[in-house]
Amino acid sequence: HCQRFQEVLSYCRLDDTTLRKINTLLSVCAVCDDAISIRHLLIVILRTALVAMTFRNYTSPKLQHVQRWIDQHYTENCSIEQLSQHFHYNPVYLSRLFRQNLHCTIHAYVRNLRLRKAAELLVHTGISIGCIAEEVGYADAQHFSRHFKQDYGMTPKTYRKKCGKGDDAS
C-alpha cells in the first residue's frame, strides 16, 4: 500500500524536500503495527502534501508574505492578533484569507509546522524531547507530547525509536 501511495503522491508534483519528508513518514508507516498509528501518519502526510501544493499554487503576495513570516518565526507567538498587528490586516480578514486558501486556521498551520519541525529533529538529532519542544515553540514538553501524539498517533519517544535515533536523551 505504501508504494501505491507514493505513486499517487508523485502526481502531485511536490518539491524534493516535501517528497523526502513524506517518504520518511511512509517508512514509519511500514513499521507501525496498529491501524490508528498508520491513520495518524497518513493524515500528517496528506497535510504536508496539501500545504506544499497550496503554497506553490497560491499566487497572492499577501498570503505568501504571511506564510513566509510564520515559517521563519513559528517558534514565536503567531496568534491571529499578533499577525494582524504585524501585517496591518484586520484579524477577521486575515483569518478568512488563511482559511479560504489553506483550508486551515492560522493556529492549525503553526501547530502543524511546529510538529513537522519537531519530527525532523526527532529523526535527525539526539536532542532531548524537552529541548525539541522548547526549540519548536512549545512552553512545556507535556503539552508538546500531547499534541504530537494527537497528530502522529504515537509519542515523540516512540516516533524517534521507530524512524530515527533510538538513543533518546529525554
Side-chain angles (χ1 to χ4, degrees):
H1 294 333
C2 288
Q3 186 176 11
R4 178 71 182 123
F5 197 72
Q6 285 174 319
E7 289 172 18
V8 170
L9 285 172
S10 69
Y11 297 121
C12 296
R13 296 188 190 124
L14 299 169
D15 61 281
D16 290 340
T17 305
T18 304
L19 285 173
R20 275 194 302 276
K21 289 177 188 175
I22 288 171
N23 282 328
T24 300
L25 291 168
L26 283 172
S27 68
V28 175
C29 284
V31 297
C32 286
D33 52 1
D34 63 292
I36 294 172
S37 295
I38 292 171
R39 180 180 170 274
H40 284 288
L41 285 169
L42 290 175
I43 289 169
V44 171
I45 289 168
L46 291 173
R47 278 188 199 151
T48 302
L50 180 63
V51 168
M53 288 172 49
T54 304
F55 185 71
R56 187 186 75 227
N57 294 332
Y58 191 77
T59 57
S60 168
K62 290 179 183 179
L63 190 56
Q64 285 183 357
H65 193 61
V66 174
Q67 277 186 286
R68 266 193 292 279
W69 190 92
I70 292 171
D71 290 349
Q72 293 170 354
H73 297 91
Y74 66 93
T75 61
E76 302 170 18
N77 181 3
C78 294
S79 68
I80 185 73
E81 294 80 17
Q82 294 288 102
L83 289 167
S84 298
Q85 287 176 356
H86 182 80
F87 290 100
H88 307 289
Y89 293 141
N90 179 299
V92 174
Y93 168 75
L94 184 58
S95 182
R96 188 178 320 120
L97 185 68
F98 230 84
R99 195 179 270 292
Q100 286 174 345
N101 293 285
L102 297 178
H103 311 289
C104 67
T105 64
I106 291 171
H107 176 75
Y109 181 85
V110 171
R111 175 180 162 157
N112 185 38
L113 179 61
R114 286 176 175 170
L115 292 177
R116 281 187 294 136
K117 297 290 185 179
E120 287 177 25
L121 292 170
L122 287 166
V123 171
H124 300 294
T125 72
I127 300 172
S128 73
I129 292 170
C131 288
I132 288 174
E134 192 175 305
E135 192 169 320
V136 299
Y138 279 88
D140 76 77
Q142 287 180 331
H143 191 70
F144 160 71
S145 291
R146 192 172 331 112
H147 280 182
F148 194 92
K149 186 168 184 179
Q150 286 171 351
D151 283 20
Y152 284 73
M154 63 185 83
T155 65
K157 187 174 185 175
T158 303
Y159 183 84
R160 174 175 270 167
K161 283 180 183 175
K162 287 189 175 186
C163 75
K165 296 185 175 284
D167 54 342
D168 183 24
S170 66

